[in-house]
């Protein structure tokens, strides 16, 4: 939650370690990968953003519920945006 709070306050560099720690604790936690990718994207660290978002995409794809499908769409949309850049 601290990572999200920092992101909302445009403190992206400070948010990154919180998402990384969440991933260390639970490597299959797709929201942390997605949010980490979002921070990297906003910082124009495109390669790192793509790696994080690809992992989120993989994790969302493995789940079949409506929540995951919606987040999978958002993740793929963000990845498409990176590719256009």
């Amino acid at each position: 939650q601290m990572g999200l709070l920092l992101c909302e306050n445009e403190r992206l560099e400070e948010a990154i370690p919180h998402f990384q720690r969440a991933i260390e604790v639970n490597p299959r936690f797709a929201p942390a990968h997605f949010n980490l990718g979002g921070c990297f994207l906003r910082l124009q660290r495109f390669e790192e953003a793509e790696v994080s978002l690809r992992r989120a995409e993989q994790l969302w794809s493995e789940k079949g519920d409506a929540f995951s499908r919606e987040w999978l769409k958002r993740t793929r949309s963000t990845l498409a945006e990176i590719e256009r850049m």
Side-chain angles (χ1 to χ4, degrees):
Q1 297 298 342
M2 181 60 77
L4 291 173
L5 179 63
L6 291 166
C7 273
E8 288 176 14
N9 288 294
E10 298 298 319
R11 295 167 58 185
L12 303 172
E13 290 287 353
E14 293 175 67
I16 289 171
H18 293 280
F19 295 126
Q20 290 170 327
R21 178 67 181 130
I23 292 166
E24 286 175 19
V25 171
N26 182 358
R28 300 190 54 76
F29 188 50
H33 290 280
F34 180 84
N35 290 320
L36 178 60
C39 282
F40 285 141
L41 181 59
R42 289 167 65 187
L43 290 167
Q44 298 183 352
R45 292 166 58 177
F46 301 116
E47 290 178 20
E48 293 164 293
E50 184 174 9
V51 168
S52 295
L53 291 166
R54 292 274 176 220
R55 181 65 176 137
E57 177 184 37
Q58 177 187 12
L59 293 168
W60 293 126
S61 294
E62 293 173 1
K63 299 179 180 190
D65 59 273
F67 177 82
S68 297
R69 284 192 302 271
E70 184 59 36
W71 279 98
L72 179 60
K73 287 181 198 175
R74 292 179 76 173
T75 302
R76 287 181 173 160
S77 174
T78 305
L79 284 164
E81 181 181 324
I82 292 171
E83 289 173 10
R84 283 190 297 275
M85 288 187 239

